[in-house]
Amino acid sequence: MFSLQRLDLLFALVSVVCAATLWPDEVYINTILIDGQLGNDTPSCLEPWKGPLPCKSLSYALQGYRNDSTLYVLSHGRYTLNSSVMTFTNLNVIGISGNNSLVVCSDNAGLAFESVSYITITNVTFFSCGALRNSTSRNYSDSDVMTLSTFKVGLYFFLCGYVHLETMVVANSISATGVVMYDTTGYNEIISCEFYNNSVPDPSTSLLGGGGFYVEFTYCSPTGYCGNTVYNYNVGSTIIFYNCTFHNNVAMDAISLQSHSIPIIPSNGNHVAFGRGGGLSLFFNGNASHNTLSIINCNFSDNKALYGGGLFIEFHDTAVGNTVGVTGCLFLNNSAPFSGGGVRIGHFVLTNNGASYNNVTLHESDFSFNYGYYGGGLSIEPALQDTLNAYAVAYFLSQTCQFVGNVAMLGSAVYVSLFTLITTGLPPTIYFYHTLVQDNVLITSNPYNRYGAVHIHLVAVKFRDLIRFENNNGSALALVASHADFTSCRAEFFGNVGPNGAAIALLGAAWVIIGEDTIMRFVNNIATINGGAIYNMYIEKEKFSTSTNCFLKYRNATVSPENWTAHFTFINNSDSQGQNSIHSTSILPCGVLSSLTDPSKIFCWNNTYWNYSGSTCKEQISTDGSNVSMSSIPSFYPGQIAQLPLTVTDDLGNEVLNQTVFTGFINDTLTALSPQFTYIVSGYVQLTGNSDRNTTLFLNAAGNGDQLYSEFTIKVIECPPGLTPSPPGNKNATCVCDLNGNFGGLLLCLGAGQLQNNNTPPALLQQGNWIGIADSNSALLAGPCPPGYCDGANSNSLLDQIDCGYSKCTDLVQPDSLVTSNGVSSGYKRVYSAGQYSSTDNTFVTCYAIMAYVLLLMPILLLIVLFGYPVHFLERMVNKVPFLQKHYPADKMNIFLDTFQGDFKNNRRFYASFYFLFRLVVAVEYIVAVSGINQLSLQLGTCVIMIFISALLKPYKRPFLNYLDILMFANMAVLGSLSMYMLQNPSNKNLVPFILQYILIMTPAILYAGVYLAWIMGLSNVRNVLSSLHLGNSKRHTAVGAREKRSSPLSDEDVLIDRSRETNSYTYLYDSVSEKNTVDSGKTKEVYINS
């Protein structure tokens, strides 16, 4: 079959070379000359026997003389063809020869040839031509009678033969088709011609047409006659297009769009040709038989049509044995919004005795950057053929072609789908020899539906020689209910990307045939979901463990897989689960073919022929879930949305990490699933109904047939405290907030008390409390939560569940009495806690507490702050008021203030109030913070601030006390940090933080207790150490005093202070150290510290 096609192409090439001998110049008896500059439109120019007298205008010459064997010769120049109809009828041997001559048509002007043989047109450009003609397309706007549509055509040929067009240009046929040939017989050739800008520019008009060149073997002729009567004009014709250009032609108008919406099945009189074939359109209708069309070295660029943007080929009715060959052509940037951006090939028949043995060959052609909804580069839609004659089956052949950069919604490079109105017969055979499919892109709004740079549906394809798929976006090859034969083939898949099966996607009972000489390489392919290299999906319901329907079949079915000699290589392919090369619904049917019973050996049959780079064979194979289990009996309260503890494993025993979608139901009258139930592993499920009972949940994995079917027991528990089922006793009941209950202000109902969309329970507890049933009388109890159980990241506004020891549930003061558990064990009751909710009442209480705290401490704070200045400042104020001067108890007041301020520097005496302020701030933080974490965070920040203030101000006279203050606040900050850590990690059993807390808390107490005991017991060593510390301080003060003697005389303020202290000496009670201040005659100060 292939060799016969090559002979057809060779015959076409030889015919082109010999074409000049078929139309010799001497066959023309009459010659009419036309010269726009030297000619004259007189009767004498129409009398060729009188000599070479040229006519001036083309219209005058064509209208004035129409006889057989006439050649019209145009000199170089521009000519106008007027609007009158220029039709040649029933003539033989007519020629028009120009010298780069330009013919511009006026409105509704064009050339027509009807029943004319041996037509030659050379070296002429026809510009803006278009005369109204009858078409063969049915006018569907008239539904009562069978009428044909009219359209405009530049050059029109009907029932003609032996047409020779060379170096002819047909351009800018406005609202018209460039050239139309109906039923052209004999040997016809179109050589080095150009067809561009032929279109219907305004879709709002009622005009039909458009497109560069149209060829049809008709069932209904333009005269209106319809029938299959055999006559010579549609049998045995040859039409050759050689070295032609089809550019920017458009066969896509409003009427074409409208006709597409009509459910037209091409058959006999049901025929619409408009909108088909932007560059070139070929129709084989009726009983057209054994016609040959060859398209050689032609370029199709920037053409548009509804179907077949560049080239359209279709076989109808009982057309038999017709052949179309495309060789060495370029299809670049053509588009079709429906099908076949570059080329569209169709085969439509309504009976299995219809069109048969019609063949199309694409040879050494390039399809680049074309666009179509189906088939960006090429679309093939064949039909089933005659069941009685296997040799009558059509074939489509693509050899040494490349498909690069094409775009489509489905089949970006090639789309093949069977025309399915007839259900009996044999499908055509489709071959791909030595083909490159590279950089093609599938575009769709759904990224999970991008299947097939080459998309095959219901048709078998055969790949031979070298086939390479590289860098395609969307699975490289998608087979849908079809199969591909790779015997005698080396197939390479490099760098393709797709959702499932980046290299090959087998969908719905599809399979691949391999042979002993098959070589398949899969390198760097990436699937965004499953199967980096190969993906297979079974859709039929069958028992996979006994099925032999493996998606990979060996040509010799008697050979066991262990002895297959086809070579498979997988290198660096990956999917969402990792470095996976093969994924299938199940691989068990492939195991039945082998004597091996271990699923892990499937596709690992022979290391010589199965090579997996980077990991073991088993690690690169996965399946859908084949087994589902539940780790425990889950508990739900009615209306709760929660996860099921499901584990899904595949045929190899590996856990399935990707989503498995289940459908399910509950077969009882007291419990129900959420409406339109589907469940995804790691997703959520909602149950409604009656509580305190068990029910059975039935699950079936969607798309897995009977492979993944399970049933599980689920326990429906009572509503949490504060919630009640509504409506009670109904299978659709859910737990709602009990709006009528009295829970001491601990419970807050959200909205109407219904379950929220985000699974937020309809009731919340006050911050830091628990509520539950804990005693034998099932009474509702509440109490404060211990640290770590009502706070933290997991509480938020949800109801957290904890288990509590029965005897401790009334007070919950010991954290050790709380035990986290999956269920309720003996002696335990269910208790609920909440960590984040403050009611409106709680806000008022908080405000009152803060006000009371401030009023209680305000007098002391004012006293400390206002009197936290040097004593002489108060004495000056007293001396200015006689009453105060008389009654002010200066001695007693000085002693009282020194009790608080005496150890601070004179300009730091106000620092004594900081400790009261610190305590007030900490108390306020405890009251207003919404959680323990917030409390500790604020308190930690306060301690850090106090460390900074103490280090900056150094308020004490003795540096030793400044250091103690800094250490004290630092100790508090560390304790707070450890508490935050333990609160945020309640499940952490590490005892180190607790031990560190214990040490930091106890060390200061032990140290101070030891020092105090040693002091009162009179231990001289301890006293000496403390005395040395104080002595060191006194020396430093003395040194400072000495510097002050040399540099700073005492101010009046210092004199008043020293005088006051000279008359009112006192002893410090807290450290048993006396301090006296005296003033020498030089008004300088010395400080003496006596132990």
Side-chain angles (χ1 to χ4, degrees), residues 43-82:
S44 60
C45 75
L46 302 177
E47 298 173 347
W49 58 88
K50 292 185 178 181
L53 299 175
C55 297
K56 183 175 181 64
S57 67
L58 177 62
S59 297
Y60 182 81
L62 295 181
Q63 287 177 338
Y65 191 88
R66 300 179 189 176
N67 291 313
D68 291 338
S69 302
T70 301
L71 174 66
Y72 299 87
V73 179
L74 284 73
S75 62
H76 179 74
R78 174 183 173 126
Y79 301 89
T80 300
L81 194 63
N82 62 32

Side-chain angles (χ1 to χ4, degrees), residues 340-376:
V343 176
R344 158 66 150 70
I345 303 171
H347 201 165
F348 292 94
V349 293
L350 295 182
T351 67
N352 61 1
N353 294 319
S356 60
Y357 199 46
N358 299 292
N359 307 315
V360 178
T361 298
L362 307 174
H363 180 71
E364 294 183 352
S365 294
D366 187 346
F367 299 78
S368 297
F369 306 105
N370 302 285
Y371 167 78
Y373 190 93
Y374 298 109

